[in-house]
Amino acid sequence: MKINYKGNIDLTIGAGGRAMNQLIHDLMLAEFDNEFLAQQGDQAILPPANGKLAFSTDSYVVSPLFFNGGDIGSLAINGTVNDLAAGGATPLYIAAGFIIEEGFPLAQLREIVKSMAKAAKTANVKIVTGDTKVVEKGKGDGIFINTSGIGVVENDWVATSPQTDDLVIINGAIGDHGMAIMSKRQGLNFASDISSDCAALNSLIASLAPYQKHIRIMRDPTRGGVSAVLNEWATFYNCSFEIDEEKLLVNESVRGLSEILGFDPLHIANEGKVMLVVAKDYADEICSLMKNHPLGQESRIIAKVNPASQVKVSMKTLFGGLRRVDWLNGEQLPRIC
């Protein structure tokens, strides 16, 4: 008996019986098909890895589930891939856990699973194990997804402290993901052209291997945006960053919606951006290399490292002034990822 995708999730699907078995075989195993998932055990037995292992996990509760530029499925794969890649690892394997609310449309679940399979294929990672739970109606919010990822650090890449005069590079415009979610959530039709930058960054980061020893640190600026990453780095490494507002790229639709809602693009989440602190003498070469990649065509130098007289992040404004860029206080955009 095949699953009727015109129906909804019910508690029998989460009971571990025939209905769950059918869902897993007809949907998850079919879409995520690979030799490790085909083992169908409670674990995946994986081959030896050539290097140090990197392990990451994240949970995705984004609302709405579908937005311009992506959905919770592609977000769950790309987010974990990027967490591994920004640590210098080559992402290899993903575990996916689904918590689904009773009554959730099966058609939407199929769309999300297909999106995960497509994102995994694009990122060249395999979904090798997973879990599905169903909770009673009213005790969830449609669907939540947890993904855990394993990668291998083949070239012994390690983060090092930023040095005075180092430069900060980002691969394009900021704030697209957060504002894409916000415009969909608020029904702001005039902002419908805003699309999330949700993407897997591992191939872009891998292309930077020739300059690995000149890259001090990397991070993907998700929740809290660019300001959170720079403030975290400044605190951890006891240094100071100065952003050049003229160099920041903010798409006009994102800038306009941010002004209306009173948001600072520096605090808004991104899901397809990576920030790098690099040695000054190699910054232009690294930036040029990034521009050769489809996800790095708008790469630019946006900030510099100042002497560590004070741990802070500041920004030189378009008018020549200098303003403090502090941590975000509170939750500006909940359930953004």
Side-chain angles (χ1 to χ4, degrees), residues 167-173 204-205 207-212 214-215 247-249 274-303:
L167 297 172
V168 180
I169 299 174
I170 189 168
N171 60 316
L204 170 63
I205 293 172
S207 73
L208 304 178
Y211 290 91
Q212 183 174 303
H214 305 299
I215 299 172
K247 303 290 180 59
L248 277 178
L249 180 60
V274 60
M275 295 168 61
L276 307 90
V277 178
V278 305
K280 178 183 178 182
D281 291 344
Y282 295 90
D284 288 336
E285 293 177 44
I286 293 172
C287 202
S288 295
L289 182 60
M290 293 173 70
K291 288 180 178 179
N292 291 329
H293 191 281
L295 295 176
Q297 293 176 351
E298 294 180 322
S299 296
R300 58 198 55 221
I301 297 167
I302 62 168

Side-chain angles (χ1 to χ4, degrees), residues 153-205:
V153 183
E154 299 171 346
N155 299 314
D156 207 22
W157 186 87
V158 292
T160 56
S161 299
Q163 306 295 311
T164 299
D165 294 331
D166 280 353
L167 297 172
V168 180
I169 299 174
I170 189 168
N171 60 316
I174 63 173
D176 289 356
H177 176 72
M179 284 297 99
I181 298 291
M182 200 63 189
S183 62
K184 185 82 172 179
R185 190 181 295 171
Q186 299 296 334
L188 299 172
N189 295 328
F190 67 90
S192 60
D193 62 324
I194 301 176
S195 179
S196 168
D197 59 346
C198 184
L201 296 166
N202 50 331
S203 63
L204 170 63
I205 293 172

Side-chain angles (χ1 to χ4, degrees), residues 161-164 217 230-242 277 304-313:
S161 299
Q163 306 295 311
T164 299
I217 39 180
L230 292 180
N231 274 289
E232 187 173 330
W233 281 345
T235 302
F236 188 81
Y237 293 106
N238 192 34
C239 62
S240 173
F241 291 92
E242 182 180 309
V277 178
K304 64 179 181 179
V305 180
N306 282 337
S309 57
Q310 186 180 0
V311 174
K312 67 176 182 178
V313 178

